[in-house]
Amino acid sequence: MKKALALLVAFAITAGTVMAGQITVGFAQLGAESMWRTANTDSIKGEAAKRGINLVFSDAQQKQENQIKAVRSFIAQEVDVIGLPPLVNSGWEPVLREARDAGIPVILADRTVDTSDDSLYVSFIGSNFIQEGENAGNWLVRELMGRYGEVSGEVFELVGTVGAAPAIDRKAGFEKVIANHPHLNIVKSQSGDFTRAKGKEVMEAFIKSPEWGRASRKIIFGHNDDMVLGAIQALEEAGINPGTECILIGVDGIADAFEAIAQGKMHCTVECNPLIGPQFYDMVEALVAGKEIPKIVYSIEGTYDYMCAEVLLPWRRTLY
């Protein structure tokens, strides 16, 4: 009995030591609005499991108040690091200050916040959304010049969630490029909230608008692929061939977009890499070890169109 008791005590001490050494991360995911977000969540969860990290995961269901509650819950649980992809840019300073005062570092994942005090978070990891908008605009300019010998047309813009960093920055990057071309203009712009269903709904309204009837060259720029895929559904239901009567550009680089391009229904997608799990946990482990990490870490991303989508589709399906 004494030996058994001694072994039990030794096991308990060992288990306690292992648990004490385990890293705990709270991740306040904003929701599941798209295939991109699902892939992002899978990357965060999968990499945590691979590394033996204790992940406390929350799905805010597209509500900022739910994300704020989740962050406060993580603070109360005294997690080691908080990961936050903020739904919108503003309204974060109070809760981020609470995390900093509690000594818990916050890593912004995928999206940034609007704050005058950047000490409220330790780092941002994700995409350069302005560059993504510029990539979309530059591709369009090259395509129009190559296809028609001129840069002109009417752009119907499917905007992301109002106030979200990707929506703000992708629009800014795209507009920066087309500002150099006076005959290329955005004539309609409306939020599709980054969802396929809403993208379809907004496209249906665009088709009925006077601007659509007057447009000589119809260009659809969506802040993500899901909205563009919804727009394709609306176009086809209206008897419009999306591949020949419009030019459609999306952002994210999801497999469904590659398939639509390969089918001739879409023309271009700008990559936004959701698979940030490995880089995110590299930063987490560095922080816990007391190391300094970069303030900004950008993903490396490309632009894909009908010249390569069909060949790359099998590879893309293995990613997301």
Side-chain angles (χ1 to χ4, degrees):
M1 285 293 293
K2 287 182 179 179
K3 286 183 179 180
L5 183 60
L7 286 171
L8 185 61
V9 170
F11 175 78
I13 292 171
T14 303
T17 302
V18 171
M19 290 303 292
Q22 187 179 36
I23 297 171
T24 297
V25 174
F27 196 89
Q29 184 61 282
L30 62 86
E33 82 284 2
S34 63
M35 289 181 67
W36 189 99
R37 187 64 52 189
T38 300
N40 179 245
T41 290
D42 290 346
S43 181
I44 294 296
K45 288 182 174 180
E47 191 66 21
K50 186 186 297 183
R51 300 190 188 208
I53 288 172
N54 179 33
L55 176 63
V56 185
F57 187 88
S58 174
D59 182 342
Q61 299 180 334
Q62 310 299 123
K63 295 180 180 178
Q64 185 183 26
E65 58 266 31
N66 290 347
Q67 280 193 297
I68 291 172
K69 287 178 185 176
V71 171
R72 289 195 168 122
S73 173
F74 299 154
I75 295 169
Q77 294 175 64
E78 298 181 344
V79 302
D80 295 301
V81 180
I82 293 172
L84 174 66
L87 178 67
V88 295
N89 277 15
S90 60
W92 295 103
E93 288 205 8
V95 73
L96 290 178
R97 192 170 290 110
E98 291 170 32
R100 185 185 63 183
D101 292 346
I104 302 174
V106 175
I107 299 174
L108 301 180
D110 167 48
R111 299 185 180 186
T112 57
V113 296
D114 183 10
T115 176
S116 57
D117 183 2
D118 65 5
S119 71
L120 295 178
Y121 62 93
V122 295
S123 186
F124 162 79
I125 177 171
S127 301
N128 185 333
F129 300 131
I130 291 177
Q131 183 64 59
E132 289 171 354
E134 291 178 359
N135 289 347
N138 286 327
W139 179 88
L140 176 60
V141 168
R142 291 193 301 269
E143 177 68 12
L144 291 171
M145 182 57 69
R147 187 184 294 197
Y148 304 108
E150 63 178 16
V151 180
S152 66
E154 292 75 31
V155 178
F156 296 79
E157 183 182 32
L158 295 160
V159 179
T161 301
V162 175
I168 295 168
D169 290 351
R170 286 171 186 164
K171 182 177 181 66
F174 185 80
E175 288 182 343
K176 178 182 175 182
V177 172
I178 69 170
N180 297 316
H181 304 278
H183 300 295
L184 182 60
N185 299 292
I186 296 173
V187 294
K188 293 288 285 185
S189 183
Q190 188 173 331
S191 172
D193 210 23
F194 285 127
T195 69
R196 199 170 299 196
K198 189 69 174 178
K200 181 176 184 290
E201 181 183 318
V202 172
M203 192 68 239
E204 288 170 343
F206 283 170
I207 292 169
K208 296 174 183 176
S209 70
E211 289 85 356
W212 183 265
R214 290 195 296 264
S216 59
R217 187 169 294 144
K218 300 173 176 68
I219 299 153
I220 297 158
F221 169 51
H223 290 185
N224 80 343
D225 290 334
D226 277 274
M227 291 189 294
V228 175
L229 293 167
I232 290 171
Q233 294 175 26
L235 290 164
E236 291 181 328
E237 289 176 10
I240 300 168
N241 187 321
T244 59
E245 297 182 57
C246 313
I247 295 175
L248 294 99
I249 310 162
V251 181
D252 277 352
I254 63 173
D256 281 3
F258 274 69
E259 187 164 357
I261 296 171
Q263 293 172 347
K265 297 180 178 183
M266 188 171 165
H267 299 84
C268 175
T269 181
V270 175
E271 184 177 31
C272 180
N273 183 11
L275 309 179
I276 63 172
Q279 288 176 290
F280 174 75
Y281 290 112
D282 283 348
M283 296 169 78
V284 167
E285 290 173 347
L287 284 170
V288 173
K291 300 176 182 178
E292 291 188 9
I293 61 174
K295 193 68 177 180
I296 299 175
V297 177
Y298 285 133
S299 304
I300 298 173
E301 300 168 338
T303 302
Y304 305 95
D305 64 10
Y306 52 86
M307 301 292 287
C308 61
E310 187 172 2
V311 173
L312 297 177
L313 179 57
W315 159 70
R316 211 61 182 182
R317 282 182 177 139
T318 67
L319 299 179
Y320 50 92

